Amino acid sequence: MPMDDSRYWPQGTTRCKPIPFLIWMVFCLLLGGWAVHSATLCLWKGLNQTAMNDFFAFGVWIVVDLAIIALGAGAFFTGFMTYVLRRDELKNIINAAVIIGFICYSGAILMLGIDIGQPIRGWFGFWHANVHSMLTEVMFCITTYLIVLIIEFVPLVLENRQINKVPDLAFFAHHLHRIMIVFAATGTFLSFFHQGSLGGMFGVLYARPFAYRTGVAIWPWTFFLFILSAIASGPSFTTLMVMATEKASGRKLTTHKVKMMMGKVSGYLLTFYLILKGADTLYWANVTLPKMGVSFWDMYQSSYGIYLVWLELGLFGAVPAFLLLHRRVRESYGLMALAMILNCLGAVTNRFVFTIQPLAIPVMPFEKWQFYWPTIPEWGISFGVIAYGLIIFSLAYRYLPVFPQEVELNK
């Protein structure tokens, strides 16, 4: 029989018995095992194990990478609202936001280690930095922000019941909490710029009419739109993870008022994003594309049809924005969760069309529309990141005091 681990649980809480938890962990580890096998194939035999080729230099890994980085923006934006704007009620969800941010950013870096083909040379980007590339700024900011997230995560780990019994560690954790505003502000700065540069990278691809945008000075409109879509979807994703944990554990973790605030923030930010995204799309379709000798309809053919516009801006854009702006919807647990799911799917769809669709469209007269579908190893590594996230979050919830209101709400 598994050893009782209740002495490691947060004070005053209860968790599921060891056997159900072990079964859950085994499932996640099996999913992770698929990822390890897939990564081994790619590192041993090369990227010919993927569907990437001369047309598709980016594949599903970059889609997932950009998507989880956008969804992980809940960490820096929630930290900004909590420590900088002084919205104290969000302290009841900030720990979860930090954990999710850590999972998303560390998972993205792990995936990129496989994507570059030779991870042992990953340090080249730092030592031989291309100062003319937006990706250099992205690389530096993502790495340093992950360090910030680790620093924010450390005090929570040190608050484990058994670890906290060590006086020096308890003292260190307490005083690290007191200067957390510094790291929250630093994280906001770092995440703001790398989110923007990820979008700006696509916006300067003048040979790819689908992605190319005009803008302000060196910043194309996609620079600002990527930031807005990330901070609009990040709080929703954080809240969804908390709600899913509540359903799985059968316990209340935060008040619904906190969740409603996160939903309201997402609703307003998503509405603002859609207004600017709509203006950008209209200008792109009626001014930018005609100047490049192509039309809006040339961009949506083959498997990548106009339905993607309706999905991204309609079902996954306007619909969740409309729902989240209404208080009655936010008061409903199920409706708010549905709206947040649609919001997150909108961010994922946006990253998909900017990553895959520009490469599928022919740019030479002799080229045809291309189609990309990931191979099994590509799917394995992608789902491995999900398994990694589930393992980290499950362990954190079980053994760390993630939710300050949990004891009070479950008396």
Side-chain angles (χ1 to χ4, degrees):
M1 292 291 291
M3 185 176 66
D4 180 29
D5 60 349
S6 60
R7 65 183 182 278
Y8 297 102
W9 298 348
Q11 187 71 40
T13 66
T14 60
R15 298 291 184 258
C16 68
K17 294 182 179 180
I19 290 180
F21 183 70
L22 285 176
I23 293 173
W24 168 246
M25 284 289 102
V26 168
F27 168 76
C28 294
L29 289 171
L30 288 174
L31 204 58
W34 178 23
V36 171
H37 174 70
S38 300
T40 302
L41 284 176
C42 291
L43 294 175
W44 176 37
K45 296 187 176 181
L47 294 181
N48 59 0
Q49 299 297 300
T50 74
M52 292 183 284
N53 50 40
D54 290 341
F55 288 99
F56 293 99
F58 291 159
V60 69
W61 293 338
I62 300 299
V63 175
V64 175
D65 182 88
L66 296 182
I68 61 176
I69 284 177
L71 299 177
F76 91 84
F77 197 71
T78 306
F80 173 74
M81 290 190 296
T82 303
Y83 297 110
V84 180
L85 298 184
R86 299 293 185 180
R87 300 308 301 260
D88 291 338
E89 57 268 45
L90 294 181
K91 288 184 177 179
N92 297 307
I93 205 171
I94 185 63
N95 290 337
V98 167
I99 295 170
I100 292 167
F102 168 79
I103 289 168
C104 290
Y105 278 78
S106 58
I109 290 177
L110 288 172
M111 182 177 288
L112 287 175
I114 309 300
D115 188 53
I116 62 177
Q118 293 189 354
I120 59 173
R121 297 186 179 182
W123 60 272
F124 277 31
F126 297 94
W127 193 254
H128 306 287
N130 178 2
V131 297
H132 302 290
S133 172
M134 286 189 175
L135 284 179
T136 298
E137 184 268 333
V138 169
M139 177 182 60
F140 274 87
C141 283
I142 286 181
T143 306
T144 50
Y145 183 48
L146 177 58
I147 295 172
V148 169
L149 286 168
I150 293 172
I151 293 172
E152 292 181 327
F153 195 1
V154 165
L156 186 62
V157 174
L158 297 180
E159 287 180 3
N160 173 271
R161 281 173 64 185
Q162 300 303 317
I163 296 176
N164 202 246
K165 291 178 180 179
V166 181
D168 290 341
L169 294 179
F171 177 85
F172 178 70
H174 173 72
H175 286 276
L176 196 56
H177 267 305
R178 295 176 63 180
I179 60 171
M180 204 52 65
I181 185 174
V182 177
F183 298 106
T186 304
T188 299
F189 173 82
L190 293 170
S191 196
F192 178 90
F193 276 98
H194 85 71
Q195 294 282 358
S197 290
L198 284 171
M201 176 193 67
F202 293 101
V204 298
L205 297 178
Y206 54 84
R208 298 286 176 179
F210 183 88
Y212 177 71
R213 296 294 192 278
T214 55
V216 178
I218 64 171
W219 297 285
W221 300 127
T222 48
F223 180 95
F224 308 102
L225 292 173
F226 264 54
I227 296 171
L228 284 172
S229 65
I231 62 177
S233 59
S236 285
F237 185 68
T238 297
T239 310
L240 276 174
M241 288 293 294
V242 173
M243 296 170 78
T245 307
E246 285 184 332
K247 288 298 183 181
S249 64
R251 296 177 63 81
K252 294 181 180 180
L253 304 178
T254 64
T255 62
H256 195 65
K257 181 181 178 181
V258 172
K259 303 183 189 74
M260 288 177 64
M261 176 178 290
M262 296 286 277
K264 185 177 182 179
V265 167
S266 283
Y268 277 107
L269 289 172
L270 181 58
T271 302
F272 184 50
Y273 163 74
L274 287 173
I275 292 171
L276 296 185
K277 176 69 175 179
D280 169 74
T281 302
L282 289 174
Y283 186 87
W284 170 69
N286 294 288
V287 179
T288 305
L289 289 179
K291 283 184 177 180
M292 302 180 77
V294 292
S295 71
F296 175 78
W297 301 105
D298 292 334
M299 302 292 102
Y300 295 94
Q301 296 181 30
S302 186
S303 302
Y304 308 97
I306 195 67
Y307 70 91
L308 288 170
V309 177
W310 294 110
L311 279 178
E312 180 188 354
L313 301 183
L315 180 60
F316 301 153
V319 172
F322 176 81
L323 292 174
L324 289 172
L325 287 178
H326 285 74
R327 183 179 180 84
R328 289 188 178 181
V329 171
R330 298 195 302 271
E331 289 174 345
S332 169
Y333 202 93
L335 288 178
M336 187 170 70
L338 174 62
M340 288 180 167
I341 290 172
L342 294 176
N343 184 8
C344 294
L345 288 175
V348 175
T349 304
N350 175 261
R351 275 30 176 192
F352 167 78
V353 296
F354 266 95
T355 302
I356 302 299
Q357 196 158 338
L359 305 178
I361 300 172
V363 293
M364 295 292 183
F366 53 84
E367 292 179 348
K368 298 180 180 179
W369 273 79
Q370 301 297 314
F371 179 75
Y372 166 82
W373 185 255
T375 61
I376 291 178
E378 287 181 276
W379 284 121
I381 293 171
S382 301
F383 279 98
V385 174
I386 297 174
Y388 164 77
L390 292 174
I391 291 171
I392 297 296
F393 197 82
S394 298
L395 290 172
Y397 171 68
R398 188 171 182 85
Y399 297 115
L400 304 178
V402 178
F403 301 100
Q405 290 182 305
E406 181 181 2
V407 176
E408 178 185 350
L409 293 175
N410 291 277
K411 286 181 178 178

